[in-house]
Amino acid sequence: MPKKAASAIGQISVIAEKLADQMGFELIEAAYEKENTGMYLRFYLDKEGGITLDDCEAYHRALQPMLERFDYDFMEVCSPGVDRPIKNQRDADRCLGSEIEVRLYKPVDGQKVYTGLFTAYREGDITICVGEAERTFLKKEIAVARCTIDMDEVENVDLS
């Protein structure tokens, strides 16, 4: 990330986090990314019970005037999703004791995808129990790790 963009996202994150706290939301991530169509500001929010479209809209309307001095083309506010990746200790705490899927950059013992019970998180390294064996994957080996979703257990899904 260019120095100017890194400085901007730092300032933007402070503003966005303060507003999220005031509105009762948790700012999961703020991203400032260049894409073919322009510069994108993306904000991922959550709250107890899940973030709604109305929450995202209210946050967007409140945040946009605060960011007028920054150069960007598009701003998106959204949920990190039910299958959000495990990126930090907060995410790990949410998933500990659950079944997770770990996808690796390169195969380990002939496999790139492992599923097991999430037992430990230490500085980005993830330990899961696969059958009777415990496996630890180093942060540098992990492309993505996330809780698995059992669609049979999903309740009260409102698609309207």
Side-chain angles (χ1 to χ4, degrees):
M1 176 183 296
K3 190 181 274 189
K4 184 177 177 182
S7 172
I9 193 60
Q11 295 171 44
I12 290 166
S13 293
V14 169
I15 295 165
E17 181 135 21
K18 184 176 179 182
L19 179 63
D21 288 345
Q22 290 171 355
M23 295 180 76
F25 304 141
E26 178 184 5
L27 180 65
I28 302 299
E29 184 177 4
Y32 192 45
E33 301 165 327
K34 180 158 181 54
E35 294 188 8
N36 290 340
T37 54
M39 287 301 294
Y40 280 77
L41 273 176
R42 290 192 175 97
F43 301 93
Y44 298 89
L45 298 176
D46 206 359
K47 71 175 185 182
E48 189 68 35
I51 204 81
T52 68
L53 187 57
D54 289 339
D55 294 332
C56 291
E57 180 182 5
Y59 183 80
H60 187 285
R61 288 178 187 272
L63 184 60
Q64 191 171 20
M66 298 175 173
L67 302 179
E68 287 179 353
R69 66 187 166 111
F70 296 97
D71 185 31
Y72 66 93
D73 299 304
F74 304 98
M75 186 169 108
E76 297 176 355
V77 178
C78 53
S79 163
V82 67
D83 65 340
R84 78 183 196 214
I86 300 166
K87 293 184 174 185
N88 54 41
Q89 188 66 51
R90 178 182 57 214
D91 297 334
D93 291 344
R94 180 180 51 80
C95 294
L96 274 172
S98 299
E99 183 180 81
I100 68 168
E101 177 183 85
V102 179
R103 293 185 175 270
L104 306 173
Y105 290 112
K106 296 179 183 175
V108 170
D109 296 334
Q111 261 183 264
K112 284 182 76 174
V113 179
Y114 286 85
T115 302
L117 186 67
F118 188 20
T119 58
Y121 181 86
R122 186 168 291 118
E123 296 179 13
D125 299 346
I126 290 179
T127 302
I128 62 174
C129 207
V130 182
E132 299 293 319
E134 196 168 75
R135 304 218 46 156
T136 298
F137 301 99
L138 303 178
K139 180 180 181 177
K140 67 181 180 181
E141 299 174 310
I142 301 169
V144 68
R146 58 176 44 116
C147 286
T148 59
I149 301 169
D150 183 351
M151 294 308 288
D152 292 334
E153 293 180 7
V154 175
E155 296 177 357
N156 302 325
V157 176
D158 182 7
L159 299 176
S160 59

